[in-house]
Amino acid sequence: MICPKCSSENIHRSRHRSRWESLRKSLSTKRIYRCHDCSWRGWLESSSGKKNVSPQHRVITYVMVIIIALFAVWMLTIYLQ
Ligand SMILES: [Zn+2]
């Protein structure tokens, strides 16, 4: 992998910091990377590709996101009353 900011090869996978990043990771084939030379941190297409994400797992994840979104809207509706 090459850093998009400084073109350094000193770039490594970074741990996700939040639930949102964890969720996004599960929805995407992109992974968080960090450059040790310029401290860049961001999302890049995983070098392992899409083959390790099964379509079934992807559907389950989307359903979970919809449920969470509906729950959030429901909670907001109660809060606004
Ligand atoms: Zn860099």
Side-chain angles (χ1 to χ4, degrees):
M1 299 302 282
I2 294 164
C3 173
K5 193 178 169 185
C6 71
S7 302
S8 167
E9 288 187 20
N10 192 14
I11 186 167
H12 298 278
R13 284 272 292 275
S14 175
R15 276 176 168 267
H16 52 256
R17 287 177 185 171
S18 65
R19 283 185 190 178
W20 164 243
E21 285 187 347
S22 177
L23 188 69
R24 189 177 157 182
K25 186 171 80 83
S26 64
L27 289 169
S28 167
T29 55
K30 290 185 177 182
R31 295 291 178 264
I32 303 163
Y33 285 86
R34 179 181 254 291
C35 175
H36 291 260
D37 288 339
C38 72
S39 303
W40 173 87
R41 188 173 178 273
W43 295 82
L44 288 173
E45 198 70 44
S46 173
S47 54
S48 54
K50 292 177 181 177
K51 59 180 179 256
N52 56 1
V53 180
S54 71
Q56 199 179 9
H57 176 258
R58 196 164 268 243
V59 168
I60 291 162
T61 312
Y62 277 120
V63 168
M64 284 297 289
V65 168
I66 289 162
I67 290 165
I68 291 162
L70 286 171
F71 184 74
V73 169
W74 180 63
M75 288 296 284
L76 196 69
T77 312
I78 291 166
Y79 179 75
L80 291 172
Q81 273 172 357

